[in-house]
């Protein structure tokens, strides 16, 4: 088996074992058994378990492509678009809860270890970057503009999706998750306005200034 193929199989197996048994249960023996490989073959791919875990965190983070699946071609208010995106996120979580359980375990592991803490920092930097892209796309597709810096709102969106994720993994209560989704969408949408509102306001202000000027000339 080529080294790259061996590494890929061990990474996939580690993710499965961590989701089922946690970091403590993700021994090299358990991971190689899940991969259908001999224990001795592990060190042909990784120098240590820590190297495997670090690689797993990095690859899992880089594989993330979106925080919200912002729908296209939808003529709807911003809040409804955000609700749709968050519902799609929840459906992805429900389809593969093992992945999110593993990610939570890996994040906690990375935060506890000074040697891997930078991976957790990079993980959340990427989440916030993806959240910013999602919010920018949602605003563009609904003709809206954000009243607060998008980076600030992106951090809030990541915090909200973290809460949604952990809450659903704990109790699997769809109704409670839906209430969280609507709260998150409503809270974020409150920090936006229709893009044309500013131009209308500007035109109104300009007319008022012009009217004042004409009244001054008549006076």
């Amino acid at each position: 088996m080529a080294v790259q193929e061996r590494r890929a199989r061990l990474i996939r197996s580690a993710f499965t074992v961590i989701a089922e048994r946690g970091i403590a249960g993700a021994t090299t023996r358990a991971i190689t058994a899940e991969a259908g490989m001999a224990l001795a073959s592990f060190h042909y791919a990784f120098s240590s378990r820590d190297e495997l875990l670090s690689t797993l965190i990095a690859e899992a983070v880089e594989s993330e492509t979106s925080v919200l699946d912002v729908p296209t071609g939808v003529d709807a208010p911003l809040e409804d678009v955000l609700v749709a995106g968050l519902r799609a996120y929840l459906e992805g979580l429900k389809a593969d809860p093992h992945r999110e359980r593993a990610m939570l375990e890996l994040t906690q592991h990375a935060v506890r270890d000074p040697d891997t803490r930078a991976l957790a920092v990079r993980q959340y930097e990427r989440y916030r970057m993806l959240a910013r892209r999602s919010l920018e796309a949602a605003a563009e597709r609904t003709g809206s503009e954000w009243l607060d810096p998008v980076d600030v709102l992106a951090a809030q969106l990541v915090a909200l999706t973290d809460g949604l994720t952990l809450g659903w993994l704990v109790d699997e209560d769809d109704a409670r998750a839906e209430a969280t989704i609507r709260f998150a969408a409503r809270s974020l949408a409150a920090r936006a306005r229709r893009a044309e509102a500013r131009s209308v306001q500007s035109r109104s202000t300009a007319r008022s200034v012009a009217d004042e000027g004409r009244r001054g000339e008549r006076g």
Side-chain angles (χ1 to χ4, degrees):
M1 186 184 299
V3 173
Q4 286 304 111
E5 183 182 349
R6 191 188 306 271
R7 286 172 65 91
R9 184 180 294 187
L10 286 169
I11 287 170
R12 288 194 301 271
S13 299
F15 217 96
T16 299
V17 173
I18 290 169
E20 293 176 350
R21 310 181 201 177
I23 291 287
T27 62
T28 53
R29 184 179 300 277
I31 293 167
T32 51
E34 176 68 27
M37 295 163 55
L39 178 61
S41 66
F42 180 90
H43 292 288
Y44 287 100
F46 294 99
S47 62
S48 66
R49 173 178 175 270
D50 285 344
E51 184 194 354
L52 168 60
L53 293 178
S54 296
T55 303
L56 179 55
I57 295 169
E59 292 202 5
V61 170
E62 289 304 314
S63 70
E64 295 284 353
T65 58
S66 176
V67 170
L68 292 186
D69 185 11
V70 178
T72 59
V74 176
D75 183 17
L78 176 60
E79 183 176 337
D80 291 350
V81 169
L82 293 173
V83 166
L86 286 163
R87 282 177 178 162
Y89 173 86
L90 178 62
E91 289 305 312
L93 167 61
K94 292 164 66 175
D96 190 9
H98 273 22
R99 175 180 174 78
E100 291 304 326
R101 289 193 186 100
M103 287 305 300
L104 289 170
E105 289 274 352
L106 287 164
T107 302
Q108 291 299 312
H109 171 76
V111 167
R112 292 189 193 102
D113 187 344
D115 293 334
T116 57
R117 187 178 181 86
L119 289 171
V121 172
R122 195 175 89 193
Q123 175 186 0
Y124 271 76
E125 286 175 347
R126 180 166 177 82
Y127 287 167
R128 288 189 290 269
M129 179 269 288
L130 293 170
R132 185 181 69 245
R133 288 183 182 174
S134 296
L135 292 173
E136 289 171 344
E140 180 181 355
R141 291 171 190 174
T142 58
S144 305
E145 60 183 6
W146 296 108
L147 300 175
D148 299 328
V150 183
D151 285 342
V152 172
L153 295 172
Q156 293 172 354
L157 175 56
V158 171
L160 288 163
T161 53
D162 273 356
L164 174 64
T165 299
L166 187 56
W168 189 86
L169 288 174
V170 168
D171 57 30
E172 296 187 0
D173 188 322
D174 290 350
R176 187 173 292 138
E178 175 67 15
T180 301
I181 284 171
R182 290 192 169 278
F183 170 80
R186 184 169 61 252
S187 300
L188 288 167
R191 304 309 308 151
R193 64 183 172 191
R194 295 289 295 177
E196 62 266 23
R198 182 171 62 177
S199 60
V200 169
Q201 183 179 13
S202 298
R203 289 195 299 271
S204 177
T205 302
R207 282 197 299 270
S208 297
V209 170
D211 290 344
E212 286 294 329
R214 284 193 292 270
R215 282 198 293 272
E217 290 172 2
R218 288 197 296 270

